[in-house]
Amino acid sequence: MRRNVVFKELSGDQAVLFPSSISERIPPGHPVRLVNRVVDQLNIDHILSTYKGGGTSSCHPRMLLKVLFFAYFNNIYSCRRMAQALEENIHFMWLSGGSTPDFRTINDFRGKRLKGMIQALFAQLVGLMSQLGYVSLEVAYVDGTKLEAAANRYSFVWRGSVEKNKAKLEQKIDSVLSEIAHHITEDHKAAAPSEPARVSAQELREKGKELNERLTHMSRKEQRKVQKLTQEQLPRLQKYEQQLQVLEDRNSYSKTDEDATFMRLKEDHMKNGQLKPAYNVQISTENQLMTNFSLHRRPGDTGTLIEHLQQFKQHYEKQPEQVVADAGYGSEQNYEWLEENRIEAFVKYNYFHKEQKKSFQQDIFHVSNLYYNAQQDYFVCPMGQHLKKVGE
């Protein structure tokens, strides 16, 4: 005998006299409630100061911060997806209080209002975690990773190529200026000029103006050289000088993102690395929570540690008592700085693992395995010869 099947009543189009509260549908321990409490404790005066006032009402920046933080928590980074979630997801509806800013409002807030303020907000969050006892800020586990930039990987500028081409161009300019100056002095029956010094683009521009005023007294050959000097060689010299200015202390940069440096990334299965425009991101952690992050334009980790820890002190007005890092940060400069700032360092040096190998320890010709006489400052080779210091 078949029993009657009973279904619950469909109530999608039915109105209710007392609408249910969204908050009742969110569990007490849900992460959205934590995001709400944390953002309510943040000091956002620096963000409020960016609003000029007047005109129509604006979405409150604290509400937009809650939406952004909770979206990032759920791996949502698109402003369009955030705007969609504000209309479909009850957690976002509860955070925004029913407000539905469009994707342009969210994008403008993130790109303009929060520009340059992310670090300060992050430091406040870490400060709250420290007050709650999640982190002590007394130890920093430091490591880095390279993030590929959104730039053309084939638009690179290399320091070696720029310096080489600039030197060749300067030689051509020197020879042209020397030849023209020689003819000018002959016309005035003066003594032959000395070898001209290297000129900058600004000096070459002034020199070109001076030569253009004398074009009527020059031969056609000299006029063509002056024309080539001002129209072709001067712009090239300006370009090389500008590229060196952008490079600063780096060896490369991308034309489509001048802040990105070409670094060797290890994202393929062969682990052989490829040179791509990227940034070196340094991260400090404690109890599996991030306590500091910094962005660097140099490929190696060695030269980033001091700047990273200085930023740590700038945010929290204290240095960690201990720093733990791998051999990529081992250098004499870093060890000296850590010792000067009274930071206990657990940082390996580059040869640490290599020195543990039996083949290294049995290499009688390696300098670390030679006998050293500290009083007279000499090494003794395996044949008994004294090796005296010649230079560094």
Side-chain angles (χ1 to χ4, degrees):
M1 181 176 179
R2 184 179 178 183
R3 297 182 180 180
N4 293 332
V5 180
V6 181
F7 295 101
K8 294 183 182 295
E9 183 180 357
L10 292 175
S11 57
D13 296 331
Q14 293 183 2
V16 293
L17 181 61
F18 299 102
S20 61
S21 173
I22 295 179
S23 180
E24 296 176 355
R25 296 179 175 270
I26 301 176
H30 197 278
V32 69
R33 295 189 181 275
L34 176 62
V35 171
N36 184 65
R37 289 197 301 268
V38 167
V39 177
D40 281 339
Q41 299 181 52
L42 294 180
N43 183 355
I44 60 171
D45 291 343
H46 52 299
I47 300 178
L48 294 173
S49 63
T50 62
Y51 290 83
K52 298 181 180 179
T56 185
S57 59
S58 303
C59 292
H60 201 285
R62 198 178 294 277
M63 181 271 292
L64 292 174
L65 272 178
K66 294 177 181 179
V67 172
L68 281 174
F69 284 3
F70 188 66
Y72 291 162
F73 181 83
N74 290 277
N75 294 325
I76 299 176
Y77 305 101
S78 169
C79 294
R80 293 181 182 271
R81 290 188 59 193
M82 294 180 194
Q84 182 181 3
L86 286 168
E87 297 181 353
E88 300 176 354
N89 191 308
I90 63 170
H91 303 121
F92 284 88
M93 294 178 182
W94 179 75
L95 273 181
S96 65
S99 299
T100 55
D102 60 11
F103 71 93
R104 295 183 183 88
T105 302
I106 300 174
N107 187 56
D108 288 343
F109 176 76
R110 180 171 64 177
K112 298 178 181 178
R113 304 289 184 184
L114 292 186
K115 188 176 182 180
M117 299 183 180
I118 297 296
Q119 285 277 4
L121 292 172
F122 177 80
Q124 286 192 57
L125 286 173
V126 177
L128 290 174
M129 289 191 295
S130 177
Q131 294 176 8
L132 295 174
Y134 290 105
V135 294
S136 64
L137 299 180
E138 295 180 357
V139 59
Y141 297 87
V142 183
D143 203 356
T145 185
K146 295 179 177 64
L147 300 180
E148 184 175 357
N152 190 338
R153 67 183 65 180
Y154 303 109
S155 62
F156 36 70
V157 176
W158 299 100
R159 174 182 293 276
S161 177
V162 173
E163 292 179 342
K164 180 180 179 181
N165 294 332
K166 183 173 180 288
K168 289 182 178 180
L169 180 61
E170 288 175 341
Q171 290 180 356
K172 293 181 181 179
I173 293 173
D174 290 346
S175 63
V176 172
L177 293 178
S178 179
E179 183 177 351
I180 294 175
H182 179 71
H183 287 292
I184 293 175
T185 53
E186 279 190 348
D187 293 340
H188 292 81
K189 297 180 180 180
S194 58
E195 185 73 16
R198 293 288 170 87
V199 295
S200 63
Q202 179 64 27
E203 294 171 341
L204 182 59
R205 188 183 300 108
E206 296 175 357
K207 189 70 175 179
K209 292 179 181 179
E210 180 184 346
L211 293 175
N212 284 327
E213 296 174 356
R214 299 185 180 184
L215 282 177
T216 55
H217 305 289
M218 296 182 183
S219 63
R220 291 185 178 180
K221 182 179 179 181
E222 292 174 343
Q223 290 178 2
R224 287 195 297 269
K225 289 184 177 180
V226 172
Q227 186 178 8
K228 184 177 181 181
L229 186 73
T230 56
Q231 297 181 2
E232 180 181 339
Q233 295 174 338
L234 173 59
R236 285 176 58 193
L237 183 60
Q238 289 177 327
K239 183 185 74 171
Y240 293 146
E241 291 181 349
Q242 181 183 5
Q243 289 175 341
L244 290 174
Q245 185 177 3
V246 173
L247 282 166
E248 295 181 349
D249 58 341
R250 297 179 293 167
N251 290 324
S252 64
Y253 75 87
S254 172
K255 292 180 182 178
T256 54
D257 185 356
E258 296 182 352
D259 290 328
T261 305
F262 278 81
M263 306 178 187
R264 195 170 301 279
L265 305 183
K266 298 179 180 180
E267 77 287 353
D268 57 319
H269 67 284
M270 295 298 293
K271 299 297 182 181
N272 55 4
Q274 298 181 22
L275 285 175
K276 295 180 181 179
Y279 293 92
N280 191 350
V281 183
Q282 296 297 313
I283 301 173
S284 294
T285 64
E286 183 185 350
N287 292 336
Q288 301 183 7
L289 296 173
M290 286 179 55
T291 56
N292 188 31
F293 69 92
S294 58
L295 200 64
H296 305 267
R297 303 192 300 175
R298 58 177 65 205
D301 293 334
T302 308
T304 64
L305 182 62
I306 295 177
E307 183 180 350
H308 180 73
L309 293 177
Q310 287 175 341
Q311 181 178 294
F312 188 100
K313 183 177 181 180
Q314 180 182 355
H315 287 326
Y316 311 119
E317 299 181 352
K318 60 175 292 188
Q319 286 285 13
E321 298 180 2
Q322 296 178 340
V323 169
V324 183
D326 59 26
Y329 301 87
S331 71
E332 183 177 359
Q333 182 182 10
N334 289 342
Y335 293 143
E336 289 179 349
W337 188 89
L338 291 169
E339 186 176 357
E340 290 173 358
N341 288 270
R342 298 179 180 179
I343 300 176
E344 187 177 8
F346 297 91
V347 183
K348 301 175 183 177
Y349 49 92
N350 295 337
Y351 273 84
F352 178 82
H353 291 289
K354 194 172 183 179
E355 289 179 353
Q356 314 306 317
K357 296 183 179 179
K358 190 175 181 180
S359 58
F360 183 92
Q361 297 174 357
Q362 294 179 349
D363 185 2
I364 60 176
F365 294 99
H366 196 277
V367 63
S368 62
N369 295 328
L370 299 179
Y371 172 78
Y372 175 65
N373 188 314
Q375 295 180 349
Q376 301 183 21
D377 192 19
Y378 67 82
F379 286 92
V380 180
C381 77
M383 295 297 295
Q385 302 291 333
H386 289 192
L387 306 178
K388 296 182 178 180
K389 181 179 179 181
V390 176
E392 294 181 359

